[in-house]
Amino acid sequence: MLPPLPPPLPAACARPHRLFRRCRGRGCRGDGGGIMSAVVAQPVAVFGCRPRVAGGVCFLEDQVVLHAAGTGCLQLHLEQKWHKFVPGTEKSGGVQALAVSPNRRYLAVSETVAEQPVLTVYELSEVPARRRRRLAAAELPAREAVSLAFSPDCRYLAAATAPPEGHLTYWLWEKQRLMAVVRLRAPGSGICQVSFSPEDNAQVCVTGNGFFKLFKYSEGTLKQTNLQKGEPQNYLCHAWLSKEEVICGTDTGKLILFETGELHWETTVEYKKSPRELEEDAISKVYESFSDISCGLACEDNASQQDPLPQISAVAAYSKGFACSSSPGVVLLFEKTKEKEVYKESQEIWLPQDLFSSEPKKSSRQDIICICFSPSEERMVINTNKNQLYMFTMLSSDLMKEKTTYFAYLNFPLHSASITGLDICIWKPILATCSLDRSVRIWNYKTNTLELYKEYREEAYTVSLHPTGLFCLVGFSDKLRFISLLYEDMHVFKEFPVRKCRECSFSNRGHLFAAVNGNVIQIYSSITFENINNLRGHSGKIHAVKWSTDDAEFFSCDTHGAVYEWNLLTGKRKSECVLKSCMYSSIALSSDAKIIFAVGSDQTIKEISESSIQHEVSAFGVVYTAIAVSHSGHMVFVGTSLGTIRAMKYPLPLTKDFNEYQAHAGAVTKMSITNDDLFLLTASEDGSVFIWKVYDKGGGILKWEKEVEYAEEVLIMRSDIEEKSQAMLDLQIRVKELQTEKDYQLCLKDIYCNEKIKELEENFTQEIGSLKTKHQILQAEKEKQELQHQLQLSELMNKQAREMQQLESDNNQKLLMENEKYQELEVKSQRMQEEYEKQLHNLEESKSRAVKELTEYYEEKLNEKSVQLEEAKEDMKQQLQVHEEIKKQIEEDEDQEILEIKIKYERRLLEEKESNLQLKGEIGVMNKRLNSLQKELKERNRDTEEMRLEQQKLQGVIKSLEKDILALKTEIQERADTIQDKEKHIYDLKKKTQELEKFKFVLDYRIEEFKKQIESRENDIETTKEQIREMEGELERFRKEGTQLKLNITQLQQKLKATDREMHRERQKKQNMEALIKRFKADLHNCVGFIQDSKKMKDGIRELYSKYVQQSDMVETDAVDIDLQQEYMRQREYLERNLAALKKKVVKDQEIHQAAYMRIMQENVSLIKEINELRQELKVAHTQVNDLRSTLRLTKKKQAIQDTAPSSELLSSPAVLRLNAEKENETIIEMQQLEIQYLRDQIQEKGQVLAVQPLLDGSLPQLNLERSHKTQQQ
């Protein structure tokens, strides 16, 4: 029997029930619609974050953050706390990658729609965000993009698909045009990231497992601009620091900086431990120092093995440098320096330990997958692998300058696993959720905040809130717990032995609660906590339970298709409806509890009443997983397995007359409507909670006749109040102390500031006086300088006027002179032009004849070739006709033979086989014929192609000839010019010949003198040759001696090395013996310990003997070793003496050899100088001889001409020559002296160069004296 009902709830709790009764039968009154108006739901808050999204978090403004949530993206204002949801496309599986344009106006999203990848661009400036473009390319393989990036001008979009069969696509997204595609070849799969250069639209960077590539877009293609050097790295992330610098992070903890594609800087980041972990390690080391040493070593080994390798999982750039995550739970800030290390670590920022978590250490060791900075760089936001968002204020770090600081939650901690339970209460605007992440959370859907949160050690499967909002029931994997919701904590008040409770629910009045224990529903009193009743009868797992409004009836459904109505007074089933083909997942009740709405695996909504299904509505190809009905009874909301929400009016429509909203990325697990029907609350497997505001179709909010007042009461523990009051007293005392200290400090500062102000006033008054005097002095100087400048200006103006007059007169005279010259030149040019026109006319006539002859010749050839081509074409046509006739005949013959074969097959099988063999032979012959004919055809085709090629060649020859004609014309013009130049040159040469005839007589005399000098010089050259040969012989002797000494040195060095090896062996033997003696002493010491026990002593001595005494002749070997050592020492001393003597000898020989070598070098240099001087003089003499010979020839010719002339002229010419002979000789001598001086200077310079450069081979250069003899003889 049920206990009597408790007294009615307070007014705040009872008021909604009165409202429900008043609205029953009338419905809700909207702002602009009737009872049957369609329902619209709008998301007003989203609590959740989608994991593993590339670029999953970014700033739109300094206060607005955008991140992936559900199937779309969420805009969140940090101060005003408003949420704006950008839904994904229809049938979307969730966002895989996103990117925001540099101007924060556009959002690009990569998602999978109906198993097809889609790229979508949204315009965020419009409210709500409008879908601008969908990008798709039919020629590309269907693979979703894992990374997106906008160009700096926001016109282009780059998308990368995951390797090993990845692609990089370059889109002009506004026109939906694919500009370029490049395949990304990588050795394995992994993370892939793409980004644009911050200043260049055409430069794209892509990194991944085993590749770092820079691409440049030009002329419709993406061309790689860098060459990868060294071992390939697994690049997990990268960021652009400037137009040319890219920082990359690897899975081995390396930060690599590339500048224009080349490696510029590299560093390895160590695995970081948080300050708390370091403190714990220090404490453990102190503890270990007191314990056993061996245990301590083992612990240290274990600790060193536990530290994993660091990996750079995320990196982001900002103005001072960049931030990266090298270890779980930490972000390192690197700033630019002017030292060799380009970037230096400046700060560590750690995730805080969650005090409400069951494992605080793990909560601070989450992998950071995304980092972003606000536009003003005042804030940094990160995203972790557990769907959490953290924020760090950069200004505080600059002011505090602490090495280690901590993040704070962006808003509050979010669910990181599937949400399994959701419930609301009547007194307060709160909802409770529980999840497989072992946490229970209390949210406020009015203020969009998290009020309470606690994590437990077991997974939570279900939650139910008491109508007062002060208590909740949570079903864990081990027990069912009744929890008090305190002001800042959750306190477990009572535990019930119900394992894996999947469903629990408080009654509407709160005096009872139901809990599912296996297939049994247990009813408990929430006042006495007694088990009042057990409802048995379900054969499957119970998925949902509901209370009627008066708590007299109870409803449940299970996986075996059963929906039961229970009477709580009797504890028996009142009605039932079983459909075994359907697995029910959720049920909802009408306000009067007469109609049950059920959804399950059969893709329908069922209206059940009076133990039967009254109405059934199709879900149109989707499985419904949750359902909720408004308290007015006119609105029905359904959640699907795809995560969408459908809003429809009641009665349920048979067609698709409903509104569907893209929300969650997983199946909807729970749904609930608030008691005032204004908010719809949904939870999903993706760990997100959506709060929807319900509107009518016209946009008006559904309102009740009276607004609901919510309670403000909270629970708090007595111990907490006492602690807080004590803390307040302590803080008050501390405040008073600080106030007195600050007052005293302020007084001191006031005194100091007043003194400082007085000093500054005195200094400023003195400076003002000095500045005034300076100003007066400068003003007087300024006035003087102005007067001087005016005088100078007047003088300059007068000078300029005079100069201008003179220039004008000079220019006029020059112009007259130039005009006269121009007229003379014009007359000359007219004459020249007439002459050249005559010449050109003659040349053109000759050329036109030649061109006509050539064209006639080549036209004849072309006609011949065209005739040959026509003949070849006719032959080819005839052969084709013959080939076609042969083909027809062959086909007819084959048809006849096939008919005969068919007849033969019907008669006998053996005959068929023989006929088959014969036919195969005949077919082979025919095939050969066909092949031969085809070959002939191909040959004919080749001939025709060759003829065409010849024709093309001939046309090319004609063109080349035409070009040659043009070239010849230009040559004629050039030759005419050269003829004129040559005529001028001949005239000049004639003048020179006359002068050379004058020099002839003088040069004959000089030639005889030079011949005498050459004979004496040849004798000197022969003597120097003999000296050089002797010196070369001496050099060879010195070389041989040097090589012999080198051999001796190498032999001695080898002997020294051998002795060193022997010394090393002896030292090793000595060390081994010392170690053996130590061991023997230790064993002997242990053996002496058994001196009391004779047996043990005896055994110990035996062991020592067996261990250390191995051979009987040990003493003999020792003696032999001593003799060997002595002999070794004697030989070593002898070799050392020999080596020292040889070293001295080598040093002496080297000194002698060097002195001799230097002497020989000096002699060689002096000889070379003399030889070079002689060579130069010989060359001069030869040139003079040649000049004289040429003058002689000219004079002979002139004499022959003059012989024909009259005798008077013959008599006058030699007289003229005799008069000018002396002057000509003097000029010739002066010129030769100058040439000799110039040649001597050059010889000195070359001699200095030869003295600086030592001869490499040690031999002198051979003199080419034979050539000088030959030239002299000539």
Side-chain angles (χ1 to χ4, degrees):
M1 291 292 291
L2 285 167
L5 291 169
L9 290 167
C13 185
R15 194 178 293 110
H17 293 282
R18 289 201 296 275
L19 286 172
F20 300 150
R21 286 194 293 275
R22 196 179 295 123
C23 285
R24 191 177 296 156
R26 288 187 297 140
C28 293
R29 183 163 53 84
D31 287 345
I35 294 165
M36 301 300 287
S37 61
V39 178
V40 177
Q42 182 183 347
V44 292
V46 181
F47 305 128
C49 180
R50 184 170 170 80
R52 301 291 176 189
V53 176
V57 136
C58 47
F59 274 92
L60 299 179
E61 299 172 14
D62 281 331
Q63 296 291 336
V64 181
V65 177
L66 183 138
H67 65 87
T71 56
C73 298
L74 178 69
Q75 297 180 48
L76 172 66
H77 200 284
L78 300 178
E79 287 184 358
Q80 297 175 11
K81 306 297 181 187
W82 52 253
H83 296 212
K84 287 181 184 176
F85 184 66
V86 181
T89 53
E90 193 176 348
K91 296 181 181 179
S92 171
V95 178
Q96 299 299 320
L98 63 88
V100 173
S101 62
N103 62 3
R104 321 283 176 182
R105 187 179 172 185
Y106 303 109
L107 167 69
V109 171
S110 168
E111 52 194 344
T112 306
V113 178
E115 298 182 356
Q116 289 294 321
V118 172
L119 288 175
T120 313
V121 180
Y122 295 89
E123 188 166 355
L124 297 172
S125 58
E126 295 187 7
V127 180
R130 183 169 62 88
R131 189 181 292 112
R132 282 285 300 269
R133 295 286 183 271
R134 282 184 68 176
L135 310 178
E139 64 268 20
L140 294 177
R143 289 174 66 84
E144 62 188 14
V146 294
S147 183
L148 302 172
F150 275 98
S151 63
D153 64 352
C154 311
R155 292 180 64 232
Y156 298 97
L157 180 70
T161 59
E165 295 179 0
H167 288 86
L168 173 64
T169 53
Y170 188 86
W171 296 85
L172 181 62
W173 65 267
E174 286 183 342
K175 295 184 179 179
Q176 296 178 326
R177 189 190 300 166
L178 181 63
M179 306 295 286
V181 184
V182 172
R183 190 172 179 184
L184 299 174
R185 301 196 178 184
S189 61
I191 296 166
C192 178
Q193 187 182 348
V194 65
S195 65
F196 273 93
S197 169
E199 296 178 19
D200 191 357
N201 292 331
Q203 195 165 13
V204 183
C205 176
V206 188
T207 57
N209 188 358
F211 63 89
F212 166 80
K213 294 181 180 181
L214 289 171
F215 290 98
K216 189 88 174 176
Y217 175 77
S218 65
E219 298 176 359
T221 57
L222 285 166
K223 296 175 183 177
Q224 190 173 345
T225 58
N226 68 320
L227 291 171
Q228 198 163 348
K229 297 176 183 177
E231 292 183 3
Q233 302 277 345
N234 184 3
Y235 298 102
L236 300 178
C237 53
H238 74 265
W240 288 85
L241 302 179
S242 66
K243 187 180 177 181
E244 296 176 347
E245 291 182 342
V246 183
I247 189 79
C248 297
T250 69
D251 62 345
T252 56
K254 285 184 180 178
L255 283 168
I256 302 169
L257 181 68
F258 293 95
E259 191 170 350
T260 61
E262 297 293 328
L263 180 65
H264 180 61
W265 175 72
E266 184 178 345
T267 187
T268 304
V269 184
E270 295 179 355
Y271 183 82
K272 297 284 183 181
K273 286 188 175 181
S274 65
R276 291 187 180 88
E277 287 177 357
L278 291 169
E279 286 174 11
E280 289 171 5
D281 290 346
I283 292 160
S284 63
K285 280 177 183 176
V286 171
Y287 175 74
E288 283 165 7
S289 63
F290 293 107
S291 63
D292 194 15
I293 295 161
S294 62
C295 293
L297 289 166
C299 291
E300 283 176 8
D301 291 339
N302 291 330
S304 64
Q305 286 173 2
Q306 284 174 1
D307 287 346
L309 289 169
Q311 63 176 12
I312 312 298
S313 58
V315 67
Y318 71 112
S319 58
K320 292 182 181 179
F322 64 91
C324 70
S325 174
S326 62
S327 308
V330 66
V331 171
L332 307 177
L333 292 180
F334 283 81
E335 291 185 359
K336 197 163 189 177
T337 60
K338 293 180 181 178
E339 300 171 7
K340 288 182 180 178
E341 291 184 2
V342 180
Y343 290 90
K344 192 175 182 182
E345 184 187 331
S346 61
Q347 197 169 19
E348 294 177 8
I349 309 166
W350 288 88
L351 294 183
Q353 284 192 2
D354 196 344
L355 300 174
F356 294 101
S357 175
S358 58
E359 295 176 339
K361 285 184 183 178
K362 285 188 178 178
S363 67
S364 65
R365 277 297 189 181
Q366 301 175 44
D367 290 330
I368 295 162
I369 57 173
C370 185
I371 304 170
C372 71
F373 289 92
S374 64
S376 63
E377 296 183 354
E378 291 180 4
R379 293 178 178 82
M380 174 172 56
V381 172
I382 61 166
N383 184 13
T384 69
N385 63 331
K386 290 189 177 178
N387 308 2
Q388 303 301 322
L389 296 167
Y390 292 90
M391 185 178 72
F392 178 72
T393 306
M394 300 292 284
L395 288 172
S396 62
S397 66
D398 294 336
L399 293 168
M400 294 165 71
K401 292 182 181 178
E402 293 180 358
K403 179 70 178 171
T404 55
T405 51
Y406 293 91
F407 283 99
Y409 281 107
L410 183 68
N411 270 338
F412 26 75
L414 304 168
H415 281 296
S416 60
S418 174
I419 296 170
T420 52
L422 181 146
D423 196 20
I424 58 170
C425 69
I426 299 168
W427 277 27
K428 295 182 180 182
I430 59 172
L431 68 142
T433 57
C434 64
S435 170
L436 295 178
D437 61 7
R438 302 180 296 185
S439 69
V440 179
R441 296 165 202 259
I442 308 297
W443 311 86
N444 191 317
Y445 57 80
K446 285 279 188 182
T447 59
N448 297 338
T449 56
L450 179 70
E451 293 198 345
L452 277 176
Y453 151 65
K454 192 163 186 180
E455 196 172 310
Y456 295 88
R457 294 187 179 277
E458 295 83 20
E459 290 180 345
Y461 297 125
T462 182
V463 67
S464 179
L465 269 177
H466 194 270
T468 60
L470 301 173
F471 310 99
C472 72
L473 268 174
V474 184
F476 291 97
S477 57
D478 59 343
K479 288 177 182 177
L480 177 71
R481 291 179 172 86
F482 188 94
I483 297 170
S484 299
L485 302 178
L486 305 178
Y487 177 61
E488 289 179 340
D489 196 8
M490 296 184 188
H491 176 66
V492 178
F493 184 74
K494 181 75 176 175
E495 292 182 345
F496 301 92
V498 180
R499 288 175 60 80
K500 292 185 179 179
C501 179
R502 298 283 177 178
E503 288 293 329
C504 67
S505 178
F506 275 104
S507 64
N508 290 313
R509 294 185 180 181
H511 64 292
L512 299 173
F513 65 85
V516 175
N517 190 357
N519 296 334
V520 179
I521 302 167
Q522 297 178 344
I523 309 295
Y524 289 88
S525 170
S526 57
I527 299 162
T528 61
F529 300 114
E530 292 179 0
N531 186 2
I532 297 165
N533 211 336
N534 292 325
L535 308 179
R536 303 175 190 276
H538 281 285
S539 58
K541 286 184 180 178
I542 298 165
H543 270 185
V545 293
K546 292 286 178 183
W547 294 85
S548 63
T549 51
D550 57 359
D551 296 335
E553 294 167 349
F554 190 77
F555 300 86
S556 60
C557 67
D558 65 11
T559 56
H560 288 179
V563 178
Y564 295 150
E565 182 183 353
W566 306 86
N567 189 337
L568 294 178
L569 295 171
T570 60
K572 292 181 181 178
R573 278 182 287 190
K574 186 177 176 181
S575 65
E576 62 181 35
C577 179
V578 180
L579 182 66
K580 291 188 177 180
S581 61
C582 179
M583 293 172 63
Y584 288 113
S585 57
S586 180
I587 58 170
L589 304 175
S590 61
S591 55
D592 55 2
K594 287 182 179 178
I595 300 170
I596 304 165
F597 297 90
V599 293
S601 60
D602 62 350
Q603 300 183 4
T604 57
I605 303 175
K606 297 177 180 63
E607 289 184 41
I608 301 168
S609 66
E610 297 176 358
S611 302
S612 62
I613 298 166
Q614 300 294 330
H615 191 49
E616 197 168 353
V617 178
S618 173
F620 303 101
V622 180
V623 176
Y624 288 144
T625 55
I627 187 167
V629 179
S630 66
H631 295 85
S632 64
H634 298 109
M635 296 180 288
V636 179
F637 299 93
V638 187
T640 68
S641 59
L642 299 175
T644 57
I645 306 297
R646 290 181 178 178
M648 57 190 80
K649 61 186 177 181
Y650 185 80
L652 298 173
L654 296 172
T655 59
K656 288 188 178 181
D657 188 12
F658 52 78
N659 292 323
E660 187 166 10
Y661 303 99
Q662 303 294 321
H664 300 281
V668 178
T669 53
K670 297 289 177 183
M671 295 180 76
S672 185
I673 296 176
T674 57
N675 293 293
D676 53 5
D677 287 346
L678 293 179
F679 293 99
L680 170 69
L681 314 169
T682 61
S684 170
E685 287 179 356
D686 65 354
S688 62
V689 178
F690 275 68
I691 298 169
W692 306 77
K693 207 158 194 175
V694 180
Y695 296 83
D696 65 1
K697 196 169 186 181
I701 302 168
L702 294 169
K703 291 184 180 178
W704 292 86
E705 290 176 1
K706 289 184 181 179
E707 291 185 1
V708 179
E709 294 178 3
Y710 293 108
E712 296 291 334
E713 292 83 0
V714 291
L715 296 175
I716 191 164
M717 299 282 284
R718 191 185 294 277
S719 59
D720 292 343
I721 292 167
E722 289 172 357
E723 284 176 7
K724 290 201 172 183
S725 59
Q726 186 63 40
M728 282 174 73
L729 287 168
D730 295 338
L731 288 166
Q732 283 173 0
I733 293 159
R734 180 69 179 150
V735 165
K736 286 176 182 177
E737 289 173 356
L738 288 166
Q739 203 164 2
T740 53
E741 284 177 8
K742 282 188 177 180
D743 291 338
Y744 177 68
Q745 286 174 1
L746 281 166
C747 288
L748 291 171
K749 279 184 181 178
D750 287 337
I751 293 159
Y752 174 74
C753 288
N754 288 326
E755 290 174 355
K756 198 81 177 170
I757 287 160
K758 285 177 183 177
E759 287 176 5
L760 289 166
E761 280 177 355
E762 290 173 359
N763 292 328
F764 279 125
T765 51
Q766 289 174 2
E767 285 178 5
I768 286 160
S770 63
L771 287 166
K772 279 179 181 177
T773 54
K774 280 181 184 178
H775 178 69
Q776 289 171 0
I777 293 157
L778 289 166
Q779 204 161 8
E781 286 178 358
K782 184 189 170 186
E783 288 171 356
K784 287 178 185 177
Q785 284 178 359
E786 281 177 354
L787 290 167
Q788 287 175 0
H789 282 302
Q790 284 174 0
L791 293 167
Q792 286 174 1
L793 271 168
S794 61
E795 287 174 0
L796 287 166
M797 290 289 283
N798 294 326
K799 274 184 185 179
Q800 192 180 3
R802 289 169 200 160
E803 286 174 358
M804 284 287 286
Q805 288 173 0
Q806 286 177 358
L807 285 166
E808 281 177 1
S809 60
D810 293 339
N811 284 325
N812 289 326
Q813 288 174 3
K814 283 180 183 177
L815 279 165
L816 290 166
M817 294 285 287
E818 291 294 328
N819 193 8
E820 288 173 0
K821 285 180 184 177
Y822 174 72
Q823 286 173 359
E824 289 173 2
L825 289 166
E826 199 170 4
V827 171
K828 283 182 183 178
S829 66
Q830 283 176 359
R831 288 174 192 167
M832 294 284 285
Q833 199 167 5
E834 287 170 359
E835 289 174 3
Y836 282 123
E837 280 175 357
K838 287 175 185 176
Q839 288 177 4
L840 278 168
H841 184 68
N842 296 327
L843 287 165
E844 280 174 0
E845 285 178 355
S846 61
K847 280 199 177 176
S848 60
R849 287 171 202 157
V851 168
K852 281 178 184 177
E853 289 172 2
L854 285 166
T855 49
E856 286 171 1
Y857 172 70
Y858 283 114
E859 278 173 0
E860 286 174 4
K861 274 195 172 184
L862 272 168
N863 291 324
E864 288 173 6
K865 294 287 180 185
S866 59
V867 169
Q868 288 176 3
L869 269 169
E870 286 172 359
E871 289 173 358
K873 282 177 183 177
E874 287 175 0
D875 292 338
M876 193 173 73
K877 284 177 184 177
Q878 289 174 2
Q879 285 175 3
L880 282 166
Q881 288 173 1
V882 171
H883 178 258
E884 285 174 358
E885 287 173 2
I886 291 161
K887 271 182 88 177
K888 284 177 184 177
Q889 288 174 4
I890 290 160
E891 285 171 0
E892 288 171 2
D893 294 338
E894 281 176 352
D895 291 334
Q896 288 175 3
E897 286 170 358
I898 287 158
L899 289 167
E900 290 173 3
I901 289 157
K902 280 182 181 178
I903 294 158
K904 286 176 184 178
Y905 262 114
E906 288 171 359
R907 291 174 183 174
R908 287 179 188 176
L909 284 166
L910 293 169
E911 286 178 4
E912 283 176 3
K913 285 178 183 179
E914 290 174 1
S915 65
N916 271 329
L917 290 167
Q918 288 174 1
L919 283 165
K920 279 178 184 176
E922 289 173 1
I923 288 160
V925 172
M926 297 308 289
N927 282 328
K928 284 177 184 177
R929 283 182 189 173
L930 276 167
N931 288 328
S932 64
L933 288 166
Q934 283 173 356
K935 284 177 184 177
E936 285 177 4
L937 265 171
K938 284 177 183 177
E939 285 173 0
R940 293 288 182 186
N941 288 326
R942 282 176 195 163
D943 293 336
T944 53
E945 283 175 1
E946 284 173 1
M947 296 293 279
R948 281 176 193 167
L949 288 167
E950 282 179 6
Q951 190 178 357
Q952 288 173 0
K953 283 177 184 176
L954 289 166
Q955 285 174 355
V957 169
I958 289 159
K959 285 177 183 177
S960 64
L961 287 165
E962 286 173 355
K963 287 177 183 176
D964 291 338
I965 288 157
L966 290 168
L968 287 164
K969 282 180 181 178
T970 53
E971 277 182 16
I972 287 157
Q973 187 66 35
E974 286 171 0
R975 283 180 182 179
D977 296 334
T978 52
I979 285 158
Q980 286 181 353
D981 295 334
K982 282 180 180 179
E983 283 175 353
K984 287 178 184 177
H985 190 61
I986 288 158
Y987 181 71
D988 294 334
L989 286 168
K990 281 176 181 178
K991 285 182 178 179
K992 283 181 183 178
T993 51
Q994 288 174 1
E995 290 173 359
L996 288 166
E997 282 173 2
K998 295 173 184 178
F999 291 126
K1000 181 188 170 186
F1001 297 106
V1002 177
L1003 289 168
D1004 286 334
Y1005 177 74
R1006 293 286 295 170
I1007 286 158
E1008 289 175 359
E1009 288 179 355
F1010 279 125
K1011 281 179 180 177
K1012 290 174 185 177
Q1013 287 176 3
I1014 286 159
E1015 285 175 1
S1016 61
R1017 292 288 171 89
E1018 279 179 356
N1019 294 325
D1020 295 335
I1021 287 159
E1022 284 176 1
T1023 54
T1024 51
K1025 272 186 182 178
E1026 287 175 2
Q1027 286 178 0
I1028 288 158
R1029 283 169 194 160
E1030 288 173 2
M1031 286 175 183
E1032 284 178 351
E1034 284 179 6
L1035 274 169
E1036 284 177 0
R1037 269 187 267 117
F1038 284 129
R1039 263 193 228 135
K1040 286 175 183 177
E1041 287 175 3
T1043 50
Q1044 190 63 39
L1045 288 166
K1046 282 178 184 176
L1047 288 167
N1048 293 333
I1049 288 158
T1050 51
Q1051 286 174 2
L1052 289 166
Q1053 283 174 351
Q1054 285 173 358
K1055 286 177 182 177
L1056 267 170
K1057 284 178 183 175
T1059 52
D1060 287 335
R1061 284 178 200 150
E1062 287 177 5
M1063 279 286 289
H1064 185 67
R1065 284 179 202 147
E1066 291 300 322
R1067 281 175 186 164
Q1068 192 67 36
K1069 282 181 187 176
K1070 185 186 172 187
Q1071 286 174 2
N1072 292 337
M1073 287 303 293
E1074 284 174 356
L1076 194 136
I1077 288 158
K1078 281 180 185 176
R1079 274 188 261 127
F1080 179 73
K1081 281 179 180 178
D1083 291 341
L1084 198 134
H1085 180 70
N1086 292 332
C1087 189
V1088 169
F1090 301 119
I1091 201 158
Q1092 300 291 333
D1093 195 349
S1094 59
K1095 285 183 180 179
K1096 286 183 180 177
M1097 184 80 170
K1098 190 178 180 182
D1099 294 336
I1101 289 159
R1102 279 180 181 171
E1103 283 177 5
L1104 283 169
Y1105 184 79
S1106 62
K1107 191 174 181 181
Y1108 295 103
V1109 182
Q1110 294 175 356
Q1111 295 177 0
S1112 59
D1113 56 346
M1114 203 70 182
V1115 180
E1116 292 175 7
T1117 55
D1118 290 335
V1120 171
D1121 289 341
I1122 290 157
D1123 293 332
L1124 282 166
Q1125 283 178 357
Q1126 289 174 355
E1127 183 65 28
Y1128 169 75
M1129 289 300 289
R1130 281 198 296 276
Q1131 286 182 358
R1132 184 180 172 184
E1133 286 172 1
Y1134 174 73
L1135 287 167
E1136 282 176 354
R1137 276 191 240 105
N1138 285 340
L1139 209 153
L1142 286 164
K1143 277 182 180 176
K1144 287 177 183 176
K1145 192 177 178 183
V1146 165
V1147 169
K1148 284 179 183 177
D1149 289 336
Q1150 278 180 350
E1151 288 173 357
I1152 294 157
H1153 181 266
Q1154 199 167 0
Y1157 183 77
M1158 289 300 291
R1159 180 174 54 77
I1160 291 157
M1161 280 294 292
Q1162 287 171 359
E1163 289 173 0
N1164 283 339
V1165 167
S1166 62
L1167 288 166
I1168 286 161
K1169 282 181 183 177
E1170 288 177 4
I1171 289 156
N1172 285 327
E1173 285 173 1
L1174 290 166
R1175 281 178 182 169
Q1176 291 294 331
E1177 287 176 3
L1178 274 168
K1179 280 181 183 177
V1180 171
H1182 284 307
T1183 52
Q1184 287 175 355
V1185 167
N1186 288 323
D1187 292 335
L1188 290 165
R1189 282 176 183 168
S1190 61
T1191 51
L1192 277 167
R1193 285 170 192 162
L1194 287 165
T1195 51
K1196 282 176 183 178
K1197 285 179 182 177
K1198 278 194 175 185
Q1199 282 173 1
I1201 292 159
Q1202 285 171 0
D1203 288 338
T1204 58
S1207 61
S1208 62
E1209 290 176 5
L1210 286 165
L1211 290 166
S1212 64
S1213 61
V1216 173
L1217 286 168
R1218 282 169 190 167
L1219 287 168
N1220 297 325
E1222 289 177 1
K1223 289 180 182 179
E1224 286 173 359
N1225 286 330
E1226 285 174 2
T1227 54
I1228 288 159
I1229 288 158
E1230 285 175 1
M1231 287 169 68
Q1232 285 178 353
Q1233 282 175 354
L1234 289 167
E1235 284 179 357
I1236 288 158
Q1237 188 62 40
Y1238 174 73
L1239 291 166
R1240 279 176 182 167
D1241 293 336
Q1242 281 190 343
I1243 288 157
Q1244 284 177 1
E1245 287 175 4
K1246 287 182 179 178
Q1248 287 172 3
V1249 172
L1250 287 164
V1252 172
Q1253 294 177 351
L1255 294 168
L1256 297 170
D1257 298 333
S1259 62
L1260 290 164
Q1262 292 181 359
L1263 292 168
N1264 194 359
L1265 296 172
E1266 291 175 3
R1267 185 192 281 176
S1268 65
H1269 281 294
K1270 285 177 183 176
T1271 53
Q1272 191 177 357
Q1273 287 168 7
Q1274 287 174 0

